């Protein structure tokens, strides 16, 4: 999507964030991105959703520890209900952001015809202040891990918004 150059692209531009359970990292990415999109006045132009590669937590709200970190560090409430990634997401979204390498590979495996590989990217590609290549899974760790996920995702979401605005893909 190009907002200021007037090129023809899909509107609204649709982003899907994917992790394993869809209760920690990907709902955080979705809600942080929505926060930045609202601040930028682009709510009509960019739409976000999230999903998990597993069905472990389908129907559950974001993890309490993740919500606490998002509230403390950014003052936002995490909204959402976990769902599993499905093949139709390849068609329905313009860009699919995997939180780690395992999620990335599991998503690509579902694209049997390999026609959607170009839509799938690793979230940390968009970081400019952090050097980690993956968003670490915080589920079995302490509160610090959840706080670090928020910091990392703020960096990645800021970079992602800049790219989406300029359509530098
Ligand atoms: P997420 O975190 O993939 O960031 O939502 C996890 C949530 C649940 C589990 C693992 C990671 N689990 O094993 O249940």
């Amino acid at each position: 999507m190009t907002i200021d150059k007037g090129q023809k692209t899909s509107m609204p531009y649709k982003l899907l964030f994917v992790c394993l359970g869809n209760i920690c990292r990907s709902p955080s990415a979705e809600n942080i991105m929505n926060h930045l999109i609202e601040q930028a006045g682009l709510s009509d132009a960019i739409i976000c959703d999230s999903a998990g590669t597993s069905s472990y937590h389908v129907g559950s709200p974001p993890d309490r520890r993740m919500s606490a970190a998002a509230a403390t560090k950014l003052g936002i409430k995490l909204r959402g209900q976990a769902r599993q990634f499905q093949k139709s997401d390849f068609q329905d979204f313009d860009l699919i952001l995997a939180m780690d390498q395992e999620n990335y590979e599991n998503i690509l495996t579902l694209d049997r015809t390999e026609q959607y590989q170009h839509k799938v990217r690793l979230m940390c590609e968009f970081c400019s202040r952090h050097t980690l290549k993956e968003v670490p899974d915080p589920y079995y760790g302490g509160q610090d891990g959840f706080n670090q996920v928020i910091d990392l995702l703020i960096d990645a979401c800021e970079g992602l918004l800049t790219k989406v605005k300029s359509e530098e893909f």
Side-chain angles (χ1 to χ4, degrees):
M1 175 197 58
T2 296
I3 288 159
D4 45 13
K5 289 188 212 143
Q7 288 167 14
K8 189 166 176 266
T9 42
S10 74
M11 278 284 271
Y13 195 81
K14 296 174 80 180
L15 300 170
L16 181 67
F17 301 95
V18 181
C19 61
L20 176 64
N22 193 209
I23 55 169
C24 298
R25 294 165 292 175
S26 62
S28 298
E30 176 191 352
N31 281 273
I32 291 169
M33 196 66 188
N34 273 332
H35 180 67
L36 297 180
I37 288 167
E38 277 164 33
Q39 283 183 333
L42 295 172
S43 298
D44 293 336
I46 310 169
I47 287 178
C48 301
D49 192 9
S50 64
T53 55
S54 78
S55 62
Y56 303 157
H57 297 276
V58 167
S60 297
D63 185 284
R64 212 178 294 269
R65 300 161 296 174
M66 198 72 253
S67 295
T72 305
K73 296 199 76 80
L74 206 54
I76 63 169
K77 182 173 164 44
L78 295 188
R79 298 183 178 86
Q81 198 178 35
R83 74 166 177 93
Q84 189 170 17
F85 181 85
Q86 51 196 21
K87 283 182 186 171
S88 56
D89 289 324
F90 285 122
Q91 283 158 289
D92 293 345
F93 289 88
D94 297 293
L95 197 59
I96 297 166
L97 291 313
M99 296 298 128
D100 64 31
Q101 190 66 31
E102 190 179 318
N103 310 146
Y104 178 79
E105 283 162 19
N106 286 336
I107 295 165
L108 289 187
T109 302
L110 292 171
D111 175 26
R112 297 209 194 283
T113 57
E114 299 188 358
Q115 57 181 316
Y116 299 112
Q117 313 267 310
H118 64 283
K119 289 191 177 187
V120 188
R121 306 284 286 264
L122 271 169
M123 187 67 179
C124 283
E125 271 184 52
F126 300 95
C127 285
S128 60
R129 299 184 295 275
H130 294 77
T131 52
L132 279 178
K133 297 291 173 225
E134 303 180 292
V135 183
D137 180 349
Y139 192 69
Y140 291 106
Q143 190 62 44
D144 273 2
F146 289 88
N147 295 343
Q148 282 160 14
V149 165
I150 297 294
D151 286 337
L152 192 56
L153 288 176
I154 292 170
D155 188 5
C157 284
E158 286 175 353
L160 179 60
L161 183 59
T162 301
K163 291 278 188 188
V164 172
K165 281 162 67 178
S166 64
E167 207 186 17
E168 288 172 28
F169 290 104

